[in-house]
Amino acid sequence: MTARLADIAAQAGVSEATVSRVLNGKPGVSATTRESVLAALDLLGYERPVRLRQRSAGLVGLITPELQNPIFPAFAQIIGQALTRQGYTPVLATQTPGGSTEDELVEMLVERGVAGIIFVSGLHADSTADTERYARLHGQGVPFVLINGFSEKIDAPFVSPDDCAAVRLSVTHLAALGHRRIGLAVGQKRFVPVQRKIEGFIASMGDILGLAEEEARALIRHSLFTLEGGLAAAGELIAAGCTAVVCASDMMALGAIRSARQRGLSVPGDVSVVGFDDSPLIAFTDPPLTTIRQPVDAMSQAAVRALLEEIAGTPAPHSEFMFLPELVVRGSTAAAPAEPAAKLPAQPASSSGRSGDVADTPGV
């Protein structure tokens, strides 16, 4: 037991006496210190004493469109941890192609008596979707918060990154490196984050490089928020003479790098690529990806706070909480080449998913 106390104390950065007080449920320990000790206990793989196990204050649903894109597990982890610290039990519900729809997942969660629901990149982000489903949920007395994608038709708190600012950061960075032919690879037009990125791109290309709106629009390609989608969209932009590609997700950016290499071009020597999200492990790609860091931690914490206020009956204003992104410069961007990249024939893209019939997720 002495060695165990020492291990936990070292991990938590407190004394063994403090660890003993926490484990025995004695007073005189601040909430912050208690959380540190419990976190150390979990990290070291020790089972919590029965007396320290929290009773759940209720279930909270978390609905994501998928888990293949690492940005969604990142949201799920932070939101789940924040809910658990507040005594709630998170229930993760994920859509899959051919599986449950968002409406079916909501029905399942409501049937189980959830205290509230957090939606990440749900149908609320689709400007063509029927928003009555959220009015019905509100009518059932279920509080909810929406992340990524804003609609004035929905009476609820929204949490979003500033997509316009994100694209401006990318364009400013690339223009400073001497790039003039900068392309934008994004998802389908109906999604609010896409619309905002396009707005930011057109404004930035005009303000920074003096391009007219029509010229800037000619440098935009729509696809899916996937590696294959990025490969297809970037291929068209590179063929059009772009020396840099701004992507709407890190997954698309990895596809853009693959597209350049299929044409015998180097990244960043011939083509620079910027992603969006700063997903886990993205710093370890080849080359390490320059990207826009979506403030996942701050957004997740804000969403949980807003939901708990809704549950407590003291709701925050039903408006949009906007968070500023951050440019993270790594190895996928460099000075513009002296000559534009050669327009080599594109390699056939396997399942690029550019058809409008294929399901897409707006979460990036």
Side-chain angles (χ1 to χ4, degrees), residues 230-322:
L231 189 151
E236 294 181 14
L237 292 168
I238 293 170
C242 290
T243 61
V245 180
V246 176
C247 298
S249 77
D250 289 340
M251 297 297 287
M252 292 187 81
L254 295 181
I257 292 173
R258 178 178 294 183
S259 181
R261 287 175 174 168
Q262 285 182 349
R263 289 161 173 76
L265 304 173
S266 70
V267 176
D270 298 308
V271 180
S272 287
V273 176
V274 179
F276 180 84
D277 282 335
D278 197 26
S279 312
L281 302 181
I282 211 67
F284 304 98
T285 57
D286 180 24
L289 186 66
T290 294
T291 189
I292 300 296
R293 178 176 293 157
Q294 189 174 180
V296 174
D297 194 307
M299 291 170 61
S300 298
Q301 299 288 353
V304 170
R305 285 196 300 272
L307 182 67
L308 295 183
E309 289 174 355
E310 295 278 317
I311 292 173
T314 56
H318 285 182
S319 58
E320 185 175 28
F321 299 91
M322 192 85 74

Side-chain angles (χ1 to χ4, degrees), residues 18-84:
T18 298
V19 173
S20 179
R21 283 198 295 272
V22 172
L23 295 182
N24 289 292
K26 294 183 178 179
V29 181
S30 69
T32 302
T33 300
R34 182 181 183 278
E35 285 185 10
S36 297
V37 171
L38 294 180
L41 204 68
D42 297 338
L43 286 169
L44 293 173
Y46 291 123
E47 186 177 359
R48 291 189 185 187
V50 175
R51 70 174 70 86
L52 297 180
R53 297 174 190 169
Q54 287 184 324
R55 291 178 58 88
S56 175
L59 304 177
V60 171
L62 171 61
I63 298 180
T64 65
E66 49 142 322
L67 291 177
Q68 290 184 328
N69 186 329
I71 197 63
F72 295 122
F75 270 112
Q77 180 176 7
I78 297 172
I79 290 172
Q81 289 173 342
L83 287 170
T84 300

Side-chain angles (χ1 to χ4, degrees), residues 9-221:
Q11 179 68 37
V14 298
S15 68
E16 292 181 34
T18 298
V19 173
S20 179
R21 283 198 295 272
V22 172
L23 295 182
N24 289 292
K26 294 183 178 179
V29 181
S30 69
T32 302
T33 300
R34 182 181 183 278
E35 285 185 10
S36 297
V37 171
L38 294 180
L41 204 68
D42 297 338
L43 286 169
L44 293 173
Y46 291 123
E47 186 177 359
R48 291 189 185 187
V50 175
R51 70 174 70 86
L52 297 180
R53 297 174 190 169
Q54 287 184 324
R55 291 178 58 88
S56 175
L59 304 177
V60 171
L62 171 61
I63 298 180
T64 65
E66 49 142 322
L67 291 177
Q68 290 184 328
N69 186 329
I71 197 63
F72 295 122
F75 270 112
Q77 180 176 7
I78 297 172
I79 290 172
Q81 289 173 342
L83 287 170
T84 300
R85 283 196 294 269
Q86 297 300 321
Y88 288 87
T89 300
V91 179
L92 178 61
T94 304
Q95 302 173 60
T96 55
S100 299
T101 65
E102 179 178 307
D103 291 337
E104 290 169 342
L105 294 175
V106 168
E107 183 179 353
M108 177 270 292
L109 291 170
V110 172
E111 287 177 351
R112 282 157 178 76
V114 292
I117 300 176
I118 296 176
F119 295 85
V120 181
S121 301
L123 289 171
H124 64 276
D126 187 340
S127 62
T128 65
D130 183 6
T131 58
E132 276 301 308
R133 54 176 47 88
Y134 299 106
R136 290 193 296 270
L137 186 59
H138 192 272
Q140 292 174 292
V142 180
F144 59 93
V145 174
L146 305 153
I147 296 178
N148 276 336
F150 176 74
S151 172
E152 294 181 349
K153 300 176 183 178
I154 303 174
D155 185 22
F158 287 82
V159 177
S160 306
D162 190 332
D163 291 294
C164 289
V167 176
R168 181 172 287 273
L169 284 171
S170 301
V171 172
T172 300
H173 170 63
L174 293 168
L177 292 172
H179 294 275
R180 294 296 177 264
R181 292 282 294 179
I182 301 171
L184 177 67
V186 287
Q188 296 170 342
K189 295 179 182 179
R190 68 180 189 271
F191 295 122
V192 172
V194 171
Q195 296 168 3
R196 289 177 167 181
K197 286 182 173 71
I198 290 173
E199 178 186 340
F201 181 73
I202 292 172
S204 300
M205 294 294 280
D207 295 342
I208 299 169
L209 296 178
L211 264 67
E213 179 176 341
E214 184 177 343
E215 294 176 295
R217 286 192 181 277
L219 298 173
I220 299 173
R221 295 294 185 275

